[in-house]
Amino acid sequence: MSNKKYVYLFEEGNAEKKNLLGGKGANLAEMTNIGLPVPPGLIITTEACKEFSALGQKFPVGMEEQVRENMALLEKKMGKEFGDKTNPLLVSVRSGAPVSMPGMMDTVLNLGLNDDTVNALAESTGDERFALDCYRRFINMFGDVVMGVEHNKFERFLDRQKVKACVYFDNELTAGDWREVIEEYKWLIGKEAGHTFPQDPFEQLFMAINAVFNSWNNERAVVYRRINKIPDNLGTAINIQAMVFGNMGEDSGTGVAFTRDPSTGEKKLYGEYLINAQGEDVVAGIRTPHPIAKLEQDMPEIYRQFEQICMLLEKHYRDMQDVEFTVEQGKLWILQTRNGKRTAQAALKVAADMVDEGLIKKEEAILRIEPGQLDHLLHRRIDPDAKLNVVARGLPASPGAASGEVVFDADLAEKLCHEGEKLILVRTETTPDDIHGIVAAQGILTSRGGMTSHAAVVARGMGKPCVSGCEALRIDYAGKRFLVGNMVVKQGDVISIDGSTGNVILGTVPMIDPELSPAFQRLLGWADQIRSLGVRANADTPKDAAKAREFGAAGIGLTRTEHMFMAQDRLPVVQEMILAHDLKERQVALDKLLPMQQGDFYSILKAMDGFPVTIRFLDPPLHEFLPSAEDLMVEITELRLTGGDKEKIVEKEELLRKVRSLSEFNPMLGHRGCRLGISYPEIYAMQARAIFQATAQLVKEGFNPIPELEVPLVIELKELEYLREMIVGIATDVQKEQGVDFHYLIGTMIEMPRAALLADEVAAGADFFSFGTNDLTQTTLGFSRDDAEGKFLQAYLDKKILFDNPFVVLDRCGVGKLMKMAVELGRKTRPDLLIGICGEHGGDPGSIEFCHVICLDYVSCSPFRVPIARLAAAQAKVKLDPGVKKDYSTL
Amino acid sequence: MSNKKYVYLFEEGNAEKKNLLGGKGANLAEMTNIGLPVPPGLIITTEACKEFSALGQKFPVGMEEQVRENMALLEKKMGKEFGDKTNPLLVSVRSGAPVSMPGMMDTVLNLGLNDDTVNALAESTGDERFALDCYRRFINMFGDVVMGVEHNKFERFLDRQKVKACVYFDNELTAGDWREVIEEYKWLIGKEAGHTFPQDPFEQLFMAINAVFNSWNNERAVVYRRINKIPDNLGTAINIQAMVFGNMGEDSGTGVAFTRDPSTGEKKLYGEYLINAQGEDVVAGIRTPHPIAKLEQDMPEIYRQFEQICMLLEKHYRDMQDVEFTVEQGKLWILQTRNGKRTAQAALKVAADMVDEGLIKKEEAILRIEPGQLDHLLHRRIDPDAKLNVVARGLPASPGAASGEVVFDADLAEKLCHEGEKLILVRTETTPDDIHGIVAAQGILTSRGGMTSHAAVVARGMGKPCVSGCEALRIDYAGKRFLVGNMVVKQGDVISIDGSTGNVILGTVPMIDPELSPAFQRLLGWADQIRSLGVRANADTPKDAAKAREFGAAGIGLTRTEHMFMAQDRLPVVQEMILAHDLKERQVALDKLLPMQQGDFYSILKAMDGFPVTIRFLDPPLHEFLPSAEDLMVEITELRLTGGDKEKIVEKEELLRKVRSLSEFNPMLGHRGCRLGISYPEIYAMQARAIFQATAQLVKEGFNPIPELEVPLVIELKELEYLREMIVGIATDVQKEQGVDFHYLIGTMIEMPRAALLADEVAAGADFFSFGTNDLTQTTLGFSRDDAEGKFLQAYLDKKILFDNPFVVLDRCGVGKLMKMAVELGRKTRPDLLIGICGEHGGDPGSIEFCHVICLDYVSCSPFRVPIARLAAAQAKVKLDPGVKKDYSTL
């Protein structure tokens, strides 16, 4: 006989033995050992399960013996006997793997009931109907799970019984009805399973154990493990636990409670209970449960006991708990406890309070917050309780929500905005020509374009909600309406958009304002103390810069100068510059742009006084500032066929020629970034001068501007050297002209694979690197974001070829490998190289963790994600830095 | 006094001492030592120059002494004395750095002339005018180079003298004129330099040495070194050599000869000479030189001596020589010898002949050929002697030349072709709709698009000449003409295009057919014995496959299935497939395509019987097979405004919607490659079935087909696994259905950075890798080829930011680094992984060398470049493989 221990009493285990006892078993053991009144029970180990499989579905030698021995101990503890006709012990038999696999394996409740014990149960509960209901449920469950009789065959008998009894609901059936049903169930099992329903409780028990072990390898469990990458050789443990009943009279009851308010985090018991009831009754909603506070009046002793247990649980688990309890004839039993789910607000308050209470350290408090959950706290959002009339769904391109009248035209939007209207600008896609419309609108809705389409990028920059690529929309500009299916939405109709979900909603919706609660502020303060990763914001306007500073950004990691070019008053000058026939003409236009840009930079540097501001030189291809060839073609064709003005035609044709000569097959890989600076040094020269003049002006006014000039799209040191020489020359000129000294850095985006591969060379010409992970992802994967998100990316996610959208969650193994290489190579050349990230990944918590791991100096994200980034940076430090981990070794 | 040796006689040096004696000096020493009659001389070392600089422009101690001593030896050897009034020694003083810097530093000839020795020279040459001419040239040169008097100031006196003498040319001036000029020159120097022209020959000599040393640091030399990356600390040597004169009477003369015919390689002396003349006279073209053969009659002894020297030189230098000689009063002097420039044909013949003659080994013969030079031997080309009327220049998109009548329309081209016309198809750009026109034409000319535009790719695939992106052309389809500047070329006018230069030429041009001479064949045979790198061809048609095989390709490295889709009879079916509303409709179209594709694959596999054929699954985005949105928009606008057929409008609008839904912002990074195979597995399934059915059919017929199925655009192992499972299933099905067994491989393109970065993972699903370096270059550098070549690449090359077009010459440090990484990672997973390259770099000799270095198995290139690749592969092996190098250690 083997002397291996296959069976543990709850009191023999603890939370550490999860692999051997399964998650549920280890948890029950832990609760038992801290002295909670848990219904006693025993655990068959995962080891037994593995041997059971290895032996070809046979129990290992000695296991049965051990089960019987421990069941005897259980009987003694409960003062009941398994199969006893007056005081029978009933048990539940539940699977419990080391890794949670909810609903994948089998469970049997009320085991131990038979034709005799059911009567004893009826007597002790004083409720015959209830006892019989338990019995018929047990037969059904046992027949289905253990004996392989399909559940719907049982259902058929039940339905027949209801017809016979002329009732609609199960709870209308009487004890007599249940007796008939029970006989039919037993008959069904005998017929279908080729074996009568077993009356011997131990026969029931071992059959159930056999079934649960087998369920480890049932099809859905195998599939679940494959999908979730859970090893197949873990095995499941089995928990056999005494049943307790909350419906054994007025001194019994059942309930669920949180140790704190899960909506607000307030420190008070929160939950509900029912006297003389089972857990199911609470769920079924037939009786209305009472708030937990009332228990103090109904059962003062039990309430005090429960309160104490809740405090004990919080102390032990060091988190807010969600506790299930049952009172059986005046005795309190704790059935389950787990960390309670909570709202973002509650999570923040609970974590902060627990630090105050000395329950957890600040580092642990930081880890308690799911940063993704905070996103909606930072934007105006739709009241989560509102009922919505969602008519379509596009891409969630810029978070937040907005309502307003539909408008299809930017000029009209501007006009109506001046008249005080709230508007949603609806376009197939937007162009620089629409900027004033975007400014005027509350939110943007487009039927084409991805998460980096013009509309999306501009809206995110402005912190305005945007839903892009909503392909269900058919926009009829001429008819001033759009169609979704057969529904028509006309100009002036009110809609709402939710840029966090992509939803398009008819009518207005109730909104909630963003909150930065005191608890949130405190946690962020702690995060700032802990984190080593800096947090900056991407901001193109002084307003955004101020917002970012308010949210705790210590600098700007990316200012895109092109958005300044797109402003309505600038665009004609920008176009003049582009259409210039020679350098002289271009210089005239640039001379007009210089003071405007200088003003832009002045305001932003001033708003960020004392913090660094990374200003990127002009990046997009020039044709983005011109109308599309297609529009021009159609215009020209119309003018021709309708006998339009000849001069106008000639003019349009010349513009068309220029547009065509600038048009590109793949603009993402085209004439942009520093390639513009190399073809047209005069453009970058103007921008450098504008930056330095603004800097000099601020220094004179007593401010402390810290400009960092950033060269985009570099692939080669020589690009940087060429431009650096020019920029340094301009800085020296301006310093001389203005008679002031100022400090500045010149660095580069790392956004092309070649720059990362040759980072050791590139670093020789750069004071700083900033990873442009949007473009780096596009080139490394060969994914045009605009095209991928609307076209094939979904198929990739559906077919599990990729697990995440790589534009949202940094592709660590591909793009990340390049980044790591670039950091190492770059610092080999320049150990003091300042390195950051300004792609949208800079605001994604998982990606921020990776940035911490590869030792970046800072992340930069949209102003609204700054608090999230601060928290995520601290979490990465706490989780991954061994020096920090020591401080909360109790975790 | 230093005992350092600063001065060497020629006989004390040799070719090895290049760093000390400079290139020219070492060469003169070498010639002297093998017994050639070289005018004797001495060399001042680079060491002296370096010390001169270090001492602040002072001669190192002992150097002057050594110069005087060696000059004495020189005088003895020549039987002349420096400054002697009857038999004066004249010398040249020339710079000579270790690395050739042609024209960058100074030279002085005829040094030693003064008011006395000029008379001795007049006497010994019997030509007073010549002697005076030498003297005035010397004064001018010395004054300019050594004494810093500007050359044009001397010129002014010369011009005045010609006016005075009423003549136009220098050679019309008399001895008397020269005397006047000499006096004026001397006066000029005294006035400008503040120092009279020195009459003492040694003073002249040391002044000249000083000047030459200083010229090492003159501005143009410094710039030249910076550009050519030559270190500044090498210093220059100085060669002081006795002057010899070919114009000392009828027993004197001068000439230049090749040891073999530089046009054909034939083994016979080839060159020309003049009796009683100087080298300048040959160049000036005043007298017509005689062919070298006539020297045998004029000076039989000299001729025999010269012949023997030529043989000696070839033996010594083991290559064809280009020899300069002078006969001074019956004595033959060799002034210079160097490896002779030659045509490609001559290079091949000389190399092969020298192997036969035992002069060189086969490995050396292989190294003698510049592979790039062979390109034009492999295409029909324009007679290099023809005078051309070049009217414009575009991109050299597909090599070869063609003449024909201009035609603007593919349908018309097809019609005229059937009538026997030779045509050049001229379009702004081509689309799949034009394929039949391209087939019908001799060559293609487009005004837009780069080296990978549709026209370029299709033309290269067909081996037809193409000039693309010729932006000077303004095409007027309506007027059936194009304009270049003010010139009008109408339909039917004859033009020629040269796809190797990009030239567009008016009228016809004389053409030369491609040649594969016997020498070429023999060299390629040797190359095949030597090389370890395999050579395959890229071929889409059986005709190309046959051509490739003829040129020595051992398989096909890339068959693009999309070109098969573009054939005129297929395109409607392909469009039907694309426009299908559901899977069922699409399957109907695919069922029609299956037998067509099967036929394609059958023919290609048969043509390559016994060799592997890599067939790539459909790669381009589907919208490439549809008309453009712009064209459709214009059509619809026209139909509307002219009251066109409503049904037609609706139909066009539906098509437009589809085109729009498929259109992409960056097609290069879009829905293409295996992304299509994952979205529409049925397309790849059809292609796999077609390949396997063709294979089965050939096996049954007794052939040995070896298909390699290639999945394009992979970034992730899971893509490959997903498709591999499907493909293997189809192979198994076909094997069962057809009852035959066959072998096949499934592999992947490595053309996205992520695939290279994760090559260890990807290799787990691939039998082979093939580097698609076109796309890998596009993504690694972020360069859209079509856009870069027409737009900013030229600026990058002009500004030396890039040294080569990365689409022509593989970017070793960026793209190459990724490739090396991929090879190492891939073979770590699968040591037997077959790895090749099929980008256009596979035909570039430098890139082939790199492929050899990183241990690829094969390169694949266009059929016409196969011989070049075979040679380049052998060269890489010979140059870089130490095992091979041993075999020709004399090199």
Side-chain angles (χ1 to χ4, degrees), chain A residues 5 70 99 135 153 175 210 229 283 305 376 416 537 685 749 773 800 857:
Chain A
K5 185 167 174 62
N70 282 284
V99 177
Y135 190 28
K153 291 191 175 155
N210 190 80
K229 297 191 183 296
V283 178
Q305 203 186 337
H376 70 286
L416 292 174
M749 297 276 279
T773 46
K800 305 226 178 280
D857 294 301

Side-chain angles (χ1 to χ4, degrees), chain B residues 191-255:
Chain B
K191 175 172 163 278
E192 293 279 322
H195 183 296
T196 56
F197 170 75
Q199 290 287 330
D200 173 16
F202 272 104
E203 193 183 350
Q204 292 175 356
L205 181 60
F206 287 113
M207 283 175 78
I209 293 170
N210 191 81
V212 173
F213 277 167
N214 273 324
S215 73
W216 173 254
N217 285 317
N218 73 28
E219 202 187 319
R220 61 188 170 163
V222 171
V223 169
Y224 183 89
R225 287 199 296 273
R226 197 176 63 208
I227 290 171
N228 291 280
K229 295 188 184 297
I230 298 169
D232 281 327
N233 63 356
L234 294 179
T236 183
I238 297 178
N239 303 292
I240 301 168
Q241 189 177 22
M243 297 288 301
V244 294
F245 296 96
N247 52 350
M248 285 195 167
E250 290 305 306
D251 58 352
S252 298
T254 193

Side-chain angles (χ1 to χ4, degrees), chain B residues 573-610:
Chain B
V573 188
V574 172
Q575 292 180 342
E576 189 183 319
M577 173 193 83
I578 295 168
L579 300 173
H581 294 90
D582 55 30
L583 182 56
K584 210 177 128 198
E585 268 187 48
R586 189 172 315 114
Q587 197 58 56
V588 170
L590 286 169
D591 289 346
K592 287 187 216 165
L593 283 171
L594 176 64
M596 301 177 183
Q597 284 259 287
Q598 185 175 337
D600 297 330
F601 299 139
Y602 174 87
S603 311
I604 286 193
L605 285 164
K606 191 170 170 181
M608 271 287 154
D609 181 39

